[in-house]
Amino acid sequence: MANINFIQTNATSGELSPQIEGRVDITKYGNGLATAKNVFVRVFGGAYRRPGTYFASHTKLSTNIVRVIPFNFSTTQAYIIEAGHQYFRFYKDSGILTSGTPVEISTVYTSSNLFNLQYAQDADTQYITSNDYPQKKLTRSSHYLWSLANVDFTGGPFMPDNSDTTATMAASNSIGAITVTAVGYVFKSGHSGSLLKIGPSNGYVRITQVSSSTVVLATVQTSLKTVAATDNWAMGAWNVENGFPAAVSFFEQRLYFAGTIAEPQTVWGSVPLDYENFTPGSNADDAVSFTIADNQVNAVRWLAAGKSLAVGTLG
């Protein structure tokens, strides 16, 4: 029997799975490759060699792991962040940004945490999340001036309202620097820095110091409607004790966070166009929150904006 040689005019099917070897009845078979290594397949046929990479700079610490994070203001102002052990460095136009020395800022992120970071960007501001640290805000003021700071969220969010009528909070004053005394509830050191809602009408404070298991120092953020002991209170959702969100995304003019240690399946959305305001309410333009109803508690690990907000969990 004579040998038959087929002429293959294109490779638009790319590299085929070994599981379909011999499937000559499939149209894509005739346009496929057994191996396509270090090549790009053209959409109109054929393949060409992958180009080489470009060396821009050595990393700051060659012995430590780093992560590359994009920061794109526009098509003409795009940057690369070299995220390393407790620092960020910045690249633009195929080189590292320098102002005498490389442009660099300090961070809290260690090598072991870098690949847990998630981020969402709005113009010159990028919000960065990790379960281990409070949300950060990376801001670009110029090519050579960058800053990273904690986000001062207002209005919330809060854990579900207290349902134990024997657990109360009493404030020493309705404004200013105050003390808050708890009965039937135990403060922990991780509550320092947390918000705490007391009484009706969204009056809340920020805890500045945990003095004991029943007393904290706090600063009133929104005037309290009552200072007497009340069971109408709620602890802030984001703090060292409860953990911080793992995921972040913009969607329909809100900034969304999701997945703390204490509330792994809860998603929080800001007030529209006021990304750091999480004041709750019943109006359409108030902040929102919801918890996934599921028979398994699979923690939220990513958010992605499309026609709807996609929520990805460990499950």
Side-chain angles (χ1 to χ4, degrees):
M1 183 176 179
N3 292 328
I4 299 176
N5 294 319
F6 292 96
I7 298 175
Q8 184 169 346
T9 58
N10 70 75
T12 53
S13 295
E15 185 172 299
L16 301 180
S17 167
Q19 296 181 13
I20 63 170
E21 289 180 356
R23 289 297 306 275
V24 295
D25 57 312
I26 301 175
T27 302
K28 288 184 177 295
Y29 184 89
N31 298 331
L33 301 173
T35 303
K37 185 176 182 179
N38 284 330
V39 297
F40 290 126
V41 176
R42 299 182 187 275
V43 295
F44 42 84
Y48 63 99
R49 186 184 299 274
R50 174 187 61 80
T53 56
Y54 174 85
F55 176 76
S57 174
H58 288 287
T59 60
K60 179 183 179 181
L61 302 170
S62 59
T63 57
N64 286 354
I65 192 171
V66 300
R67 179 181 176 184
V68 172
I69 296 176
F71 188 102
N72 297 324
F73 176 80
S74 67
T75 56
T76 58
Q77 297 185 56
Y79 304 84
I80 290 174
I81 302 170
E82 175 192 322
H85 181 73
Q86 297 185 328
Y87 75 91
F88 283 173
R89 282 185 169 182
F90 305 90
Y91 294 72
K92 186 180 187 298
D93 297 334
S94 301
I96 190 169
L97 287 173
T98 62
S99 181
T101 58
V103 176
E104 179 181 318
I105 60 174
S106 298
T107 76
V108 298
Y109 309 121
T110 63
S111 296
S112 61
N113 187 260
L114 291 175
F115 286 89
N116 294 328
L117 303 182
Q118 296 193 35
Y119 47 86
Q121 186 174 340
D122 176 56
D124 275 322
T125 301
Q126 187 178 78
Y127 292 91
I128 303 174
T129 65
S130 167
N131 271 148
D132 301 322
Y133 300 102
Q135 296 97 310
K136 302 286 185 180
K137 181 167 61 174
L138 176 65
T139 304
R140 182 198 73 151
S141 300
S142 72
H143 293 328
Y144 308 101
L145 186 59
W146 301 73
S147 63
L148 184 69
N150 287 340
V151 187
D152 187 18
F153 293 107
T154 60
F158 297 97
M159 299 281 285
D161 288 345
N162 170 56
S163 59
D164 182 357
T165 57
T166 66
T168 63
M169 298 282 178
S172 63
N173 204 339
S174 61
I175 58 173
I178 65 170
T179 60
V180 178
T181 303
V183 173
Y185 182 80
V186 176
F187 289 117
K188 298 181 180 180
S189 60
H191 287 135
S192 182
S194 177
L195 300 180
L196 171 61
K197 184 174 65 173
I198 303 175
S201 302
N202 294 326
Y204 69 97
V205 305
R206 184 177 296 280
I207 298 172
T208 57
Q209 180 181 330
V210 178
S211 299
S212 70
S213 61
T214 58
V215 178
V216 297
L217 306 182
T219 302
V220 176
Q221 306 292 294
T222 301
S223 180
L224 305 180
K225 300 304 180 183
T226 181
V227 296
T230 177
D231 62 0
N232 185 354
W233 59 270
M235 184 60 68
W238 303 335
N239 49 58
V240 173
E241 182 65 27
N242 295 333
F244 299 95
V248 60
S249 180
F250 287 100
F251 179 67
E252 292 188 346
Q253 301 183 328
R254 297 181 190 266
L255 178 60
Y256 281 88
F257 294 99
T260 64
I261 300 301
E263 296 181 287
Q265 291 188 301
T266 298
V267 180
W268 300 268
S270 71
V271 170
L273 295 177
D274 192 356
Y275 302 135
E276 297 173 16
N277 185 349
F278 283 80
T279 303
S282 57
N283 296 321
D285 58 352
D286 290 326
V288 297
S289 66
F290 60 89
T291 300
I292 297 172
D294 192 8
N295 59 358
Q296 295 183 354
V297 182
N298 290 312
V300 175
R301 279 295 172 263
W302 55 263
L303 300 171
K307 291 184 178 180
S308 58
L309 181 66
V311 180
T313 76
L314 289 175

